[in-house]
Amino acid sequence: HGLVIFPEFRGKGLSKKTQSIREELAKQQGYRILISTTAVGNIPQEHRQEWNGAKVAGTFFNPSTNHDVKLYVRHLYDWRQNL
């Protein structure tokens, strides 16, 4: 699944707002991490992932789309909380 924000709606904070909603829903359902993918070279999305605190966990080739893909992981909680 993905999110597309049409050009006329960009720059209004919608991506940030939808990310906050996704994170809150994930927390409410007990998830501790978010995993997502972005096509290598999709610079706006790569920046958004990193701005949101996601870290690149690796890359792989997706033969279905014929693209190299970055795998991102974002921890919703500090893993040290329960030590």
Side-chain angles (χ1 to χ4, degrees):
H1 303 286
L3 172 68
V4 174
I5 298 178
F6 292 102
E8 62 268 24
F9 298 105
R10 292 180 186 158
K12 301 180 187 310
L14 293 175
S15 180
K16 187 186 295 186
K17 182 66 176 168
T18 58
Q19 181 64 26
S20 295
I21 292 168
R22 284 191 296 261
E23 288 184 13
E24 188 55 39
L25 289 171
K27 286 178 181 179
Q28 289 174 8
Q29 294 179 37
Y31 291 96
R32 301 184 66 75
I33 63 171
L34 294 178
I35 300 170
S36 58
T37 59
T38 299
V40 172
N42 182 344
I43 303 302
Q45 186 59 27
E46 289 178 8
H47 286 176
R48 174 58 63 192
Q49 292 277 14
E50 293 162 12
W51 185 88
N52 283 331
K55 304 291 182 202
V56 177
T59 59
F60 63 93
F61 178 74
N62 183 341
S64 296
T65 62
N66 206 33
H67 288 105
D68 288 321
V69 177
K70 286 186 179 180
L71 177 69
Y72 286 90
V73 175
R74 163 101 162 80
H75 291 266
L76 297 176
Y77 299 96
D78 185 345
W79 63 271
R80 296 166 288 202
Q81 283 178 325
N82 295 323
L83 293 180

